[in-house]
Amino acid sequence: MCSQFLRLCGSPHKRKNWLFTGSENGGKTMAVLFSVVSRCQRHGHDPFAYLRDVLGRIPDLPKERLAEPLPNRWSPPKAVDATTAEGPGNGNVPTG
């Protein structure tokens, strides 16, 4: 799984910069990121979409519900179609 992530990052076999994390804390952070990306791929999610959605929702979640956005329970947010949304200014003209 990590090899798939590394392929997404470019061609690490050519420049090997990904081998250097800068510090022990940076290495731990990179290991966590690789783990999250790997779990997202295992469950069929786009890692970027997952992180964007979850990082935006975590501040509003109570600590009792922090398990909800884990990759095995997460589902992508539904896109709202502006032409079918109700309310003023949606462009729909009432019929009748």
Side-chain angles (χ1 to χ4, degrees):
M1 293 294 172
C2 286
S3 62
Q4 293 173 348
F5 177 72
L6 293 174
R7 271 187 262 139
L8 291 173
C9 293
S11 47
H13 64 280
K14 293 181 181 175
R15 62 176 190 269
K16 303 217 186 243
N17 287 340
W18 60 273
L19 290 173
F20 304 101
T21 60
S23 68
E24 184 178 345
N25 194 27
K28 290 177 183 179
T29 302
M30 188 170 69
V32 169
L33 181 61
F34 279 10
S35 176
V36 169
V37 168
S38 176
R39 286 187 70 189
C40 285
Q41 290 175 339
R42 190 177 320 134
H43 292 287
H45 304 308
D46 174 27
F48 183 73
Y50 170 79
L51 288 170
R52 183 177 43 207
D53 179 53
V54 169
L55 292 176
R57 290 191 309 162
I58 281 181
D60 298 330
L61 283 176
K63 67 180 180 178
E64 297 83 26
R65 295 179 51 202
L66 283 179
E68 289 178 13
L70 292 175
N72 60 332
R73 298 180 181 183
W74 180 79
S75 61
K78 306 263 190 275
V80 177
D81 186 6
T83 60
T84 60
E86 295 184 24
N90 65 358
N92 292 338
V93 179
T95 57

